[in-house]
C-alpha cells in the first residue's frame, strides 16, 4: 500500500498545541511504535523546526530521527530512509528541496520508500513536492508554478485560506492551463492518498477544507474534522 498525506498547513510546525493531524499520521503506519523521520531540507534544516519536531513526537509512542542533507547522519542515505515507517517533510522552499533531493538522489530514495510502504507525509513544500506540479513562493515575493516529483497526479496548492494570494493565483494558473487541475488545501486540512487515489480528507480545524480546482471551477471536497472523533 502506497500512502501519502499532503497537508495544506498545520501540524507541529504551525499549530503545536493541536496534535490531531500529527497523531493521525502516526496511526497510518499501523505499528505500535512507528519510526518517524523528519526531513527539513526545504527550510535549510532549520534547528528550531527540528527541535519542534522532537518536542512533540518524543512525547508520543514512536521512535524519532531526522535526516539532514547539510549534516548527513550516515553515508548510506537509502538504508537510513528505508528503515523508517514514516517520512515527514517540512515546509520552506520547494525549489531548493527538489534541487537538493535530486543532487543527493533522495528523490529516487523517496520513490523506493513509497513503493516499500513507508508513509510519506508533509506540509506546504512537503506537500507540493509529491505532486506533478504546484504553486510556490520559492522564487521570491511572487507565487509561480513549479514542476515537482510526480508521485501524485495533477497540481497542489497549500495554505489555500492562510495566505491571501494563494487562492486567486492558483485558480488563475489553473484557469489559464499553466497548471493542471489539482487539489488545494486550507491550513489544517490533510489529503490522505492511498495508491494514488484520495482515501480520506481530514482536518485539525472545523472550518478547514480541501478543494478540487479545475478551469472555471472550485469544488469543495468532503472533509472530516478529527476533533469530532479522533481516529
Amino acid at each position: 500500500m502506497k500512502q501519502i498525506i499532503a497537508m495544506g498547513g498545520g501540524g507541529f510546525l504551525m499549530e503545536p498545541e493541536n496534535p490531531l493531524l500529527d497523531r493521525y499520521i502516526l496511526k497510518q503506519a499501523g505499528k505500535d511504535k512507528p519510526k518517524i523521520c523528519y526531513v527539513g531540507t526545504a527550510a535549510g534544516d532549520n534547528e528550531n523546526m527540528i527541535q519542534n519536531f522532537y518536542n512533540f513526537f518524543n512525547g508520543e509512542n514512536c521512535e524519532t530521527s531526522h535526516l539532514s542533507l547539510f549534516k548527513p547522519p550516515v553515508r548510506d542515505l537509502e538504508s537510513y530512509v528505508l528503515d523508517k515507517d514514516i517520512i515527514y517533510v517540512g515546509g520552506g522552499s520547494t525549489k531548493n528541496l527538489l534541487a537538493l533531493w535530486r543532487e543527493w538522489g533522495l528523490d529516487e530514495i523517496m520513490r523506493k520508500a513509497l513503493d516499500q510502504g513507508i508513509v510519506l507525509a508533509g506540509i506546504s513544500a512537503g506537500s507540493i513536492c509529491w505532486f506533478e506540479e504546484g504553486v510556490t513562493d520559492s522564487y521570491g515575493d511572487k507565487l509561480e508554478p513549479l514542476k515537482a516529483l510526480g508521485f501524485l497526479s495533477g497540481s497542489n496548492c497549500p495554505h489555500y485560506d492562510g495566505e491571501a494570494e494563494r487562492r486567486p493565483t492558483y485558480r488563475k494558473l489553473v484557469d489559464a492551463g499553466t497548471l493542471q487541475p489539482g487539489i488545494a488545501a486550507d491550513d489544517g486540512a490533510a489529503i490522505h492518498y492511498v495508491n494514488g487515489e484520495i482515501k480520506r480528507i481530514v482536518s485539525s480545524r472545523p472550518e478547514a477544507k480541501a478543494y478540487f480546482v479545475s478551469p472555471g471551477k472550485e469544488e469543495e471536497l468532503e472533509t472530516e474534522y478529527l476533533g469530532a472523533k479522533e481516529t
Side-chain angles (χ1 to χ4, degrees):
M1 182 166 63
K2 301 177 182 181
Q3 298 189 79
I4 297 178
I5 301 172
M7 294 184 286
F12 73 92
L13 288 170
M14 289 186 65
E15 45 183 18
E17 76 293 343
N18 186 343
L20 292 174
L21 289 181
D22 292 331
R23 288 178 177 165
Y24 179 84
I25 290 169
L26 284 175
K27 289 178 181 177
Q28 306 319 307
K31 296 189 176 181
D32 291 336
K33 193 171 185 178
K35 299 176 182 177
I36 183 168
C37 179
Y38 176 66
V39 183
T41 314
D45 289 338
N46 180 280
E47 291 293 339
N48 288 334
M49 291 183 178
I50 294 171
Q51 189 57 53
N52 287 342
F53 165 78
Y54 285 113
N55 287 345
F56 175 76
F57 284 101
N58 281 346
E60 302 296 308
N61 191 33
C62 60
E63 294 182 26
T64 55
S65 61
H66 75 278
L67 171 60
S68 169
L69 294 182
F70 295 88
K71 297 178 181 179
V74 294
R75 188 175 187 85
D76 185 356
L77 296 183
E78 181 170 323
S79 294
Y80 186 82
V81 170
L82 298 184
D83 180 56
K84 313 307 178 189
D85 300 305
I86 303 167
I87 302 296
Y88 195 133
V89 181
S93 170
T94 315
K95 181 176 175 61
N96 289 341
L97 175 154
L98 292 169
L100 283 168
W101 281 15
R102 286 164 176 155
E103 177 66 26
W104 284 80
L106 192 56
D107 55 338
E108 290 304 318
I109 294 172
M110 290 297 188
R111 188 177 292 277
K112 290 180 181 179
L114 180 64
D115 291 342
Q116 186 174 295
I118 295 169
V119 178
L120 303 182
I123 174 177
S124 193
S127 173
I128 295 170
C129 66
W130 311 121
F131 292 80
E132 291 180 291
E133 302 173 335
V135 60
T136 179
D137 59 3
S138 298
Y139 296 95
D141 59 358
K142 182 181 178 183
L143 291 166
E144 298 182 53
L146 178 77
K147 298 290 185 183
L149 296 175
F151 295 4
L152 296 171
S153 62
S155 64
N156 178 237
C157 179
H159 307 305
Y160 205 50
D161 69 336
E163 298 177 7
E165 293 303 313
R166 288 277 177 173
R167 190 181 224 122
T169 300
Y170 185 55
R171 293 198 61 173
K172 180 179 179 181
L173 291 170
V174 171
D175 286 348
T178 305
L179 283 177
Q180 298 178 61
I183 298 294
D186 291 341
D187 289 341
I191 304 98
H192 185 179
Y193 289 84
V194 175
N195 298 330
E197 302 292 333
I198 296 175
K199 174 189 176 182
R200 191 178 181 192
I201 301 172
V202 298
S203 71
S204 59
R205 309 174 188 180
E207 71 282 359
K209 302 293 181 183
Y211 307 84
F212 180 72
V213 178
S214 57
K217 187 176 180 181
E218 177 185 282
E219 177 188 358
E220 183 178 312
L221 302 175
E222 183 179 353
T223 304
E224 178 184 348
Y225 172 49
L226 291 172
K229 180 181 178 182
E230 188 176 346
T231 56

